[in-house]
């Protein structure tokens, strides 16, 4: 039985019967599964109950070297020789196979990462498939997409992804790279490698030529070895700002093209004329969606003073009906935190918020006894300079501040090192345009939040990184333009 303080529901568990997890995964290099030269493996566990899922190969420099060599050979001998239409056929085939296996991919994502099955099933997997369909369509139209510019592939791309949207981030990187004629070596995050390994099986099933996609698993040292490899033409990284800065330094003085999609501390702004119930639901979606493990999460809420009490009361009331628990249960709103390490980080920030003098609110729901869980948390009475307001927590923690004027909220919203996303809630179109033009954010949502589409570019300002993924911009990142 799942319970919150509002009502009890019987469990509605998604079946895991169709998912086959191998006891041990090797590296996917040159179209084959290869035991790591490092002879080392690490464990992948289910954060929902701490059970062991699989052993996964931990690639070292020599393994990375093999993968890059395979990608270079495939680029030179096969992939760069194919027409765009031929490349597109492979991408369409991959997209259709992903669709066929959508349920399996969703369950795997939930088991490995802890996100609610509802999100994996309705958001992650469909969006990942759509990315492949979208870029499959562009593969033979690059000349039309960039008329008169004679676009050409870069060569071999090294790609590194985080754990919050494992399959979706893979799709954001691999689909445009392949459509443009590049080959890739991708390193998934160490806590969520399984859907990338399943994707490797899909590449085999699609008959993708060996070496076009290579998957090397491992920790940060594997990622660093990939970044340092001299025979790469492009590095695409999504992850924390701290690691992004290290990667930027490592690429200085090389000819590698670089895109960085980094952290965020996004502002969600409710003006006094906003439809309040809709805005409250939007706030819940903006920060508690995927346990707050969203780079663009609306983790700082700004409410106009005249409606602040009303909004706070409604938020607290809504939080009482939120289900935190087994991510495989279709009733679950907030699943498991991705790892013990991340849970400890979030708990440290909650403690810090209390030490900084903020007022805390958490609903009275019960958490499962095993696994990594965190209650949704609101902090009010926070100073603009507080660390919980300035730093990315990457968990279900929302700070709430009030404001009187548009000038004040714009100034506060922009006053962080980040600039990834923002939200604005108001009844007036003119205000949407007026405020959004002043916000330093790569994406601004109006009267909604966390909406994605393969045709829309996504990316940040300031310490949230540079470069865009998605849309035509996402193609540009994998092309050079001789004229
Ligand atoms: P992370 O930076 O710790 O790790 C990201 C990836 O980099 C992992 O695969 C990791 O193994 C690898 N890595 C770690 N150290 C490395 C090094 N020195 N060299 C090369 N690779 C290295 O980030 P995370 O904790 O996995 O992910 C959370 C972060 O990702 C958050 O800051 C979040 O905001 C950000 N993120 C940003 C976007 C975006 O589009 N801007 C999207 C998703 C996540």
């Amino acid at each position: 039985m799942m319970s919150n303080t509002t009502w009890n529901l019987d469990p509605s568990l998604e079946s895991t019967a169709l998912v086959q997890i191998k006891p041990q995964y090797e590296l996917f290099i040159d179209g084959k599964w290869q035991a790591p030269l490092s002879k080392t493996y690490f464990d992948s566990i289910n954060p929902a109950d701490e059970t062991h899922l699989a052993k996964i190969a931990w690639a070292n420099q020599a393994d990375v070297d093999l993968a890059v060599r395979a990608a270079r050979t495939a680029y030179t001998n096969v992939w760069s020789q194919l027409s765009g239409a031929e490349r597109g056929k492979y991408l369409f085939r991959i997209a259709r196979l992903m669709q066929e296996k959508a349920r399996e991919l969703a369950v795997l994502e939930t088991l490995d990462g802890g996100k609610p099955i509802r999100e994996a099933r309705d958001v992650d997997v469909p969006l990942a498939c759509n990315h492949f369909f979208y870029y499959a369509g562009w593969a033979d139209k690059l000349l039309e997409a960039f008329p008169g510019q004679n676009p050409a592939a870069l060569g071999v791309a090294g790609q590194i992804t985080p754990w919050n949207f494992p399959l979706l981030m893979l799709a954001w990187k691999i689909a445009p790279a392949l459509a443009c004629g590049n080959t890739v070596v991708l390193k998934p995050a160490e806590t969520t490698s399984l859907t990338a390994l399943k994707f490797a099986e899909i590449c085999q099933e699609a008959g993708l030529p060996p070496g076009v996609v290579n998957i090397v698993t491992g920790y940060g040292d594997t990622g660093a070895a990939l970044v340092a490899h001299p025979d790469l033409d492009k590095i695409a990284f999504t992850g924390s700002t701290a690691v992004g800065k290290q990667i930027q330094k490592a690429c200085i003085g090389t000819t590698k093209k670089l895109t960085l999609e980094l952290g965020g501390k996004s502002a969600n702004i409710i003006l006094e004329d906003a439809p309040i119930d809709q805005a409250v639901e939007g706030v819940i979606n903006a920060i508690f969606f995927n346990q707050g493990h969203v780079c663009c999460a609306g983790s700082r809420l700004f409410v106009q003073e005249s409606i602040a009490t009303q909004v706070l009361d409604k938020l607290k009331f809504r939080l009482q009906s939120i289900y935190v628990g087994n991510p495989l249960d279709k009733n679950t709103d907030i699943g498991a935190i991705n790892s013990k390490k991340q849970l400890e980080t979030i708990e440290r920030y909650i403690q810090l918020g209390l030490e900084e003098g903020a007022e805390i609110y958490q609903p009275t729901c019960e958490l499962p006894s095993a696994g990594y869980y965190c209650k949704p948390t609101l902090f009010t009475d926070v100073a603009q300079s507080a660390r919980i307001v300035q730093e990315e927590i990457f968990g279900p923690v929302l700070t709430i501040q009030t404001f009187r004027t548009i000038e004040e909220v714009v100034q506060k919203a922009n006053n962080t090192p980040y600039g990834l996303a923002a939200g604005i809630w108001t009844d007036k179109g003119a205000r949407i345009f007026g405020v959004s033009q002043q916000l330093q954010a790569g994406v601004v949502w109006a009267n909604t939040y966390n909406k994605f589409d393969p045709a829309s570019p996504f990316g940040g300002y300031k310490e949230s990184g540079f470069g865009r993924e998605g849309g035509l911009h996402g193609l540009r990142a994998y092309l050079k333009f001789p004229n």
Side-chain angles (χ1 to χ4, degrees), residues 118-135:
R118 255 185 7 224
E119 275 167 29
R121 185 195 62 196
D122 299 347
V123 180
D124 293 57
V125 176
L127 270 176
C129 297
N130 287 349
H131 253 80
F132 274 93
F133 279 119
Y134 175 77
Y135 282 113

Side-chain angles (χ1 to χ4, degrees), residues 3 10 78-79 83 99 107 157 211 232 280 282 349 372 426 432 460 481:
S3 70
D10 285 334
V78 185
W79 203 242
S83 67
Q99 258 184 346
V107 174
L232 291 176
V280 165
Y349 271 109
Y372 314 131
T426 168
I432 291 172
F481 299 92

Side-chain angles (χ1 to χ4, degrees), residues 160-165 169 172-173 187-191 218-227 237-244 246-247 260-264 293-296 338 341-342 392 394 418 420 458-460 464-465 469:
I160 301 173
T161 51
W163 43 259
N164 58 342
F165 288 91
M169 293 297 109
W172 280 21
K173 294 199 162 29
K187 193 207 86 67
E190 53 272 26
T191 54
Y219 278 71
D221 58 335
T222 310
L226 186 58
V227 170
F237 172 77
T238 300
S240 61
T241 296
V243 174
Q246 289 175 30
I247 291 177
L260 296 174
E261 300 281 356
L262 309 177
H293 296 340
V294 185
C295 52
C296 48
N338 180 260
K341 188 169 152 233
Q342 185 59 22
E392 185 184 44
F394 221 51
Y418 297 108
L420 195 53
F458 185 88
S464 292
E469 290 184 322

Side-chain angles (χ1 to χ4, degrees), residues 28 94 97 178 198-209 213:
F28 185 68
I94 289 172
L97 283 167
L178 264 49
K198 186 79 209 169
F199 179 81
E201 292 175 13
I202 290 174
C203 291
Q204 281 183 316
E205 203 177 329
L208 191 71
V213 168

Side-chain angles (χ1 to χ4, degrees), residues 60-73 156-160 185 216 221-235 247 250-257:
N60 65 11
Q61 179 79 61
D63 293 307
V64 168
D65 192 40
L66 273 186
V68 174
R69 270 197 256 167
R72 177 63 63 190
T73 307
V156 181
Q159 306 179 317
I160 301 173
V185 178
V216 289
D221 58 335
T222 310
L226 186 58
V227 170
H229 200 288
D231 196 26
L232 291 176
D233 303 291
K234 154 97 190 175
I235 299 289
I247 291 177
C251 290
I252 290 173
T254 74
T255 54
K256 288 169 194 158
K257 197 165 169 174

